[in-house]
Each structure stands twice: as structure tokens, then as C-alpha cells.
Amino acid sequence: MNPGELLGLLGLAWPRLFLYPAGLAALLLATVLRRRDVRPTLSLPLHAAAMPWLGLALLPLPFARPLGRGVDLLVAVALLEWPQLLALRLLLRAANPATRAAGIRRLAAEVNGLVLLALAGLALATAAGTFDLAPMMRLPATARPPELEALRWLGALGLIAALPPLLGLGPFAASQT
């Protein structure tokens, strides 16, 4: 998907950016991040909140008007992961050695999560027969071979297993409190 197609899809998805509950939540998050920085040592720009907001607007959400073209899994993951990667870059470039060490731990957790996410995405794409998100999220209309159903369930479980490292939860947290 080239940038022109992405902008065209965003033109069709503008009601989702402002009216759909996920769009309102993302707008509120962007406002909160703009008014008060969560971490004084790690200042993220506003586009760190805007990219996932656009990613949410392009997802095939229930009760939302369908877009003319589907969104690829890679585009959605890139838009949703942008703030994590940007924060990771800032941590790794910090002057403080303790902050850089936390960045290295965060990099290890991110790589673990991205490997699981890639495997889960490949399993879901193989089961759906496409990298388009809409067919991946839909239940198949006809009976499918048990191998494809097992692959679909393995992909869904892989997505669940990839969330803790990607979100930095539990043992994957950058700093233990």
C-alpha cells in the first residue's frame, strides 16, 4: 500500500477518526499526552499518538462503514506499533546509562513480542488466504478443513501470547517497580 492509497483510505475513514469510540479514546489520549508528559525524561511527540489513532480508524471495526479497500496486516501493525518503536529509539539514544540499559531490556521484550506477532500473523494470513484484515477477523461462511481452523486458532492464541511483551507487561516490563 503506497502513501497515496493510505491517504485515500483515511479520507473515507474520517468519521471513524472522530465519531467511533476508539477514535474518541485516541483523541482523548492525544490530548492528555499533549498537556502533560507521562515521563519527564521521555518526551514523545504528538505523532506518537496520531499514528495509532489512524491505525484504529483503518481497522475493520464492527458497525463501522466498510472502506473501499482492505487494510493489510503489515500496515496496521506498523501504525499501531509506532509509539513503542519511537519510545524505544529515544531510550536507546539517551545519555544516561541506566536509561540505555532499560532501553536494551525493552528492545529484547519488543523483539520477543514482534517474533510472536509475526508468527501469529502468518498463521492467520495462511488460514484466511490473504493479508487483508477483514477476512482474517471474520468467521468463515463455509466449512473449512480442520487444518485451517487449527491454524486460525493457533494464530489467535499467538496474538494473545504476543501482547504482554509488546505492551511491556509482567516480566517484560522495562523497569520493575
Side-chain angles (χ1 to χ4, degrees):
M1 176 179 293
N2 63 36
E5 288 176 319
L6 184 61
L7 288 175
L9 282 176
L10 289 177
L12 293 173
W14 73 267
R16 295 180 189 197
L17 290 172
F18 298 106
L19 302 177
Y20 202 76
L24 290 176
L27 184 61
L28 180 65
L29 175 68
T31 305
V32 167
L33 287 177
R34 185 72 174 156
R35 289 187 184 212
R36 189 179 78 160
D37 212 3
V38 178
R39 297 179 188 156
T41 60
L42 185 64
S43 176
L44 292 175
L46 185 60
H47 72 273
M51 297 300 256
W53 185 26
L54 297 176
L56 286 173
L58 292 175
L59 290 177
L61 301 170
F63 306 115
R65 195 179 109 210
L67 300 172
R69 183 180 188 278
V71 178
D72 294 335
L73 178 65
L74 185 60
V75 171
V77 168
L79 288 172
L80 294 174
E81 279 293 307
W82 181 254
Q84 292 286 347
L85 297 176
L86 186 61
L88 181 63
R89 189 187 102 205
L90 291 175
L91 282 173
L92 291 174
R93 290 186 175 186
N96 185 356
T99 306
R100 273 194 307 242
I104 291 171
R105 287 191 302 273
R106 184 74 197 120
L107 175 64
E110 193 74 23
V111 167
N112 288 335
L114 287 176
V115 167
L116 282 171
L117 185 66
L119 291 174
L122 284 174
L124 287 171
T126 303
T130 181
F131 278 101
D132 190 9
L133 283 179
M136 276 189 215
M137 298 175 121
R138 246 188 321 230
L139 289 173
T142 61
R144 300 178 57 154
E147 301 86 28
L148 289 180
E149 281 302 310
L151 199 57
R152 188 170 150 254
W153 281 105
L154 281 174
L157 291 174
L159 284 177
I160 293 169
L163 285 178
L166 288 175
L167 297 175
L169 301 174
F172 299 101
S175 62
Q176 300 295 327
T177 57

